[in-house]
Amino acid sequence: MNAPDMTTLNADTIVDFIGDIFARRGAESYLGERVTMSQHMLQAAQLAEQAGAAEPVIVSALLHDIGHYTNEFPEDALAQGTDNLHEEAGARVLAPFFPKAVTDPILHHVAAKRYLCATDPAYFRQLSDASVHTLNLQGGPMDADEVAAFAKEPNVDAIVQVRIWDDQGKDPAITTPDFDHYAPMIARVVAAHQKDIA
């Protein structure tokens, strides 16, 4: 899939742009998991909401995998043994419209998996087979220097927590609100950020 034309996106259209992705492509399979992409992202958002997270963190949980739809890599890149760098693609597309409280957990959610695998043996044991496969493509557990550097990220707590919700959001039996439930929240976060940067 080609990258979106960023010249057509602005703060007034970004929510509809994201909603269109959920509507058109959310039913696609999620990299060997038992849930679709939209089920997965909505479950992560629901977990964040149930935990009482701040709205930017809930939005980050919802959008953490949006980069699977906004980059130029083939849709089967992971199956072909290639890391599609979806975390970078997603953060790059969203950065003009959202604060770092949203984009940092998206940008670093793959690194957070590598960090947790290096620092918490119990975390690795609960990863799905598909997640272990992608971990190997993404560089495996961090080494000591990488762990020390990652721990200094300004939003490290939110980054790690979004990663945990990411891993938990893979239950096909869970019912979640749909995208429209979160659209007003996304719009509020975008509006607040636009005011901050004006």
Side-chain angles (χ1 to χ4, degrees), residues 1-153:
M1 180 178 179
N2 291 331
D5 179 3
M6 293 302 293
T7 63
T8 66
L9 284 179
N10 58 52
D12 294 325
T13 62
I14 187 64
V15 178
D16 288 341
F17 169 78
I18 295 167
D20 181 63
I21 290 174
F22 271 78
R24 286 187 299 104
R25 302 194 63 197
E28 294 177 12
S29 64
Y30 171 47
L31 307 175
E33 302 287 359
R34 298 179 301 149
V35 291
T36 67
M37 284 298 298
S38 62
Q39 285 175 317
H40 169 61
M41 293 192 287
L42 288 164
Q43 284 185 30
Q46 182 180 51
L47 288 163
E49 192 170 23
Q50 290 171 340
E55 287 195 343
V57 179
I58 297 169
V59 170
S60 187
L62 175 68
L63 303 181
H64 74 275
D65 271 343
I66 202 75
H68 283 300
Y69 300 128
T70 58
N71 60 37
E72 299 181 1
F73 287 83
E75 292 176 24
D76 62 350
L78 289 173
Q80 294 177 8
T82 304
D83 181 4
N84 66 3
L85 303 176
H86 69 285
E87 69 280 14
E88 295 178 14
R92 183 171 57 248
V93 169
L94 299 178
F97 315 108
F98 293 90
K100 285 188 172 292
V102 173
T103 58
D104 277 358
I106 294 170
L107 178 62
H108 298 295
H109 77 274
V110 169
K113 176 168 69 170
R114 298 182 61 226
Y115 170 80
L116 286 166
C117 285
T119 59
D120 183 357
Y123 173 83
F124 177 81
R125 290 193 295 271
Q126 57 86 41
L127 289 179
S128 67
D129 290 344
S131 198
V132 170
H133 172 68
T134 56
L135 171 68
N136 292 328
L137 297 178
Q138 294 157 345
M142 287 182 171
D143 63 29
D145 289 341
E146 291 173 316
V147 166
F150 181 83
K152 295 176 182 176
E153 285 292 337

